Each structure stands twice: as C-alpha cells, then as structure tokens.
Amino acid sequence: MRFLIRLRNENLEFKVPYNHLYYLQGLAYRRIQRVNPELSLSLHRPKVPKLFTFSLFMTKERHRVNGNNKYFIGRKEAFFYFSTAVPEIAEAFIGGLLQEPEVKLWGERFYVETVKALPEPISFSGKIYSTLSPIAVTTVKIQFGKPRHYDLAPDEPEFYENLKENLKQKYLLIYGKKPPEDFEIEVLSAKPKRFEVKPGIFQRAWHLIFRAYGDDELIRAGYLAGFGEKNSLGFGMVKVDKPKRGGGKNRKRKSKDA
C-alpha cells in the first residue's frame, strides 16, 4: 500500500533540513502509536524489517541558502510518500495523520491537506526504478580486531548479495513462505548520499536508477517495504521510472544471481 501525503505550511516559505529522515521516522511512530499502541511497540523489535518506508521530504519549489549546507528553503506545497506491505501499519499511520492533521517537524508547523492512495504496478520484473530515498546496504568487517559496520557501494559484489538476502527476508515476513532465488538488478546510475540519521551517527546510501528482473512477488516486497536496510528510517523507497534514451550507458554492475 502506497500513499502520497500532501502538506501545507503556515507560511509561504519554510526551512527543510537536509538531514530530516529522523524527524519523519518520529512522525510515523507517533501517529502509529496514537492509533495502535500495541503495533507501535512491536515495531521497535531490533534487527527485524519493519516492512514500511517513506520518501525524502519534498517541496514544489526550493532554493539553496548561500553558505548553508544544513537546510534549504521550500515554498508552497510540501509532500512525501509512505509505503508498507502491512495493511495494519497503513491504517494506523494514515488514521493517525487524519485524526491529528497538524504536523510539527524541525520547528515548522505543517497541516495535512490530502492523503492519496496510489495504485500498484501490474507487474514488477523488467521495470526501471529510481529512488525516492537512497538505498542503504551494510555489512560488518573486522577493523583493528573489532567488528565495525561498513556501508557498501554498488561497485562491491557484497552490495548485491546483501541486498538480495535482505529482500528475501522481507518476502518471508510478508508472504510466509520460502523466498525465490530469481532476482537480479542492473544499476544504470548511482549517486552517493550521506545522511546524519541521529546526532553524530551517519549513514552512506545511494540514489540509484536500476532495472530489476526476477520473481514479481520478490520485487514487489522491495517496492512496498523498501530495498536495502534501514527502511523504517526512510531509506530504500523506489518508484517505477519511465525508460530514458541512453540510460544503459552509465551501467555500473549486474548482480550475479539471476
């Protein structure tokens, strides 16, 4: 289930911090807790995919502030997307937004204007996808004798291996059956991003344009719940993109598993 949430600010112009995903995560959990406290509690279980994600916070118009790398200025309409594979999560979050349409984020006051349910694609394999929020994939490596979290990049084979294993875990949670092995992505474009997800804690992730092949239900799991890791923090949301001429010229890598 996927939704477009449109907001308006009490002023014509408003600030939006570049590192804003943590604020949107807090909004999601507060609204879910308001409607369904038991569900909210279950979503705090560690190391289990939460099966929801959301996009970056977007504005109809925006401009940079010279010499400032902490925020940009938005104008007019603001919006973001929310997606989940669990109807109960959708019901709680959207219900919470509609019950309390005033939204306070990073010191700005917004009001929910509309919530629109979006249709699902008919099929998923063979389509081109682009990220609405960057994809994060990590691993653990031993450095100086201690395990350290390491952010993987699309030019590393383990990026694709871990992406697929994470997707299979989501499939198992969503469908309750053994996940298929048929999955492959072809990265057409990759751009790194670095977010401060909490004070002093940073995450490197990737804005990607990619083509996905394989089992439709497996790809659908990523479309609904997010690709990669840290989806409930706002990473890994994608949309179906229209093919672009020459898009394959910037091809980065194809995963080995078909």
Side-chain angles (χ1 to χ4, degrees):
M1 304 178 72
R2 176 165 291 206
F3 301 88
L4 168 61
I5 296 103
R6 296 187 183 275
L7 309 167
R8 63 176 173 83
N9 191 268
E10 57 184 355
N11 302 310
L12 179 62
E13 293 190 339
F14 46 89
K15 294 180 180 179
V16 181
Y18 289 108
N19 294 305
H20 60 257
L21 292 176
Y22 182 70
Y23 296 95
L24 292 179
Q25 183 195 43
L27 172 66
Y29 277 107
R30 287 194 301 273
R31 291 299 194 265
I32 290 171
Q33 184 180 35
R34 178 186 179 93
V35 173
N36 192 331
E38 185 176 343
L39 173 62
S40 176
L41 186 63
S42 71
L43 290 174
H44 283 84
R45 290 181 299 169
K47 299 181 180 179
V48 176
K50 308 303 187 291
L51 301 181
F52 76 85
T53 191
F54 50 87
S55 72
L56 295 173
F57 192 87
M58 307 176 195
T59 58
K60 190 172 184 180
E61 296 180 11
R62 60 184 285 178
H63 65 267
R64 292 178 175 270
V65 180
N66 290 335
N68 189 301
N69 60 359
K70 292 185 177 180
Y71 64 84
F72 64 87
I73 300 298
R75 297 186 76 250
K76 299 182 179 179
E77 181 183 274
F79 59 97
F80 68 97
Y81 297 87
F82 182 87
S83 183
T84 180
V86 182
E88 189 180 19
I89 293 177
E91 182 181 349
F93 177 60
I94 300 304
L97 283 178
L98 297 177
Q99 285 181 20
E100 188 180 348
E102 181 181 303
V103 172
K104 294 180 181 178
L105 296 167
W106 52 83
E108 295 281 353
R109 192 188 308 269
F110 297 90
Y111 298 89
V112 177
E113 280 204 316
T114 61
V115 176
K116 181 181 179 181
L118 302 177
E120 260 188 47
I122 297 174
S123 61
F124 294 88
S125 181
K127 299 289 179 64
I128 292 177
Y129 299 86
S130 59
T131 49
L132 292 168
S133 59
I135 294 174
V137 182
T138 68
T139 190
V140 175
K141 293 188 175 183
I142 302 299
Q143 295 179 341
F144 306 107
K146 295 182 179 180
R148 305 280 186 181
H149 285 281
Y150 175 80
D151 299 327
L152 293 164
D155 60 355
E156 299 174 279
E158 199 174 355
F159 179 93
Y160 300 89
E161 296 164 9
N162 288 12
L163 181 72
K164 180 176 178 179
E165 288 306 310
N166 178 275
L167 193 58
K168 289 165 61 178
Q169 187 179 7
K170 291 179 180 126
Y171 180 99
L172 180 61
L173 290 171
I174 294 168
Y175 299 110
K177 58 184 179 181
K178 182 180 178 180
E181 294 291 333
D182 186 17
F183 175 71
E184 174 187 340
I185 72 168
E186 178 184 11
V187 173
L188 306 175
S189 176
K191 181 179 179 181
K193 299 290 290 185
R194 186 171 181 262
F195 284 90
E196 187 175 22
V197 295
K198 290 182 181 180
I201 299 177
F202 294 88
Q203 175 67 52
R204 185 177 65 153
W206 296 83
H207 273 304
L208 300 179
I209 299 174
F210 64 93
R211 192 186 298 272
Y213 303 93
D215 183 87
D216 251 29
E217 285 189 333
L218 189 60
I219 300 172
R220 178 177 180 265
Y223 178 83
L224 290 177
F227 285 88
E229 302 168 36
K230 304 181 188 296
N231 308 122
S232 63
L233 191 51
F235 288 98
M237 188 173 189
V238 305
K239 67 174 181 176
V240 176
D241 212 357
K242 293 182 179 180
K244 296 179 181 180
R245 292 182 179 178
K249 293 182 180 180
N250 293 324
R251 181 176 305 165
K252 300 295 180 181
R253 188 184 182 279
K254 187 180 290 187
S255 66
K256 293 182 179 179
D257 298 310

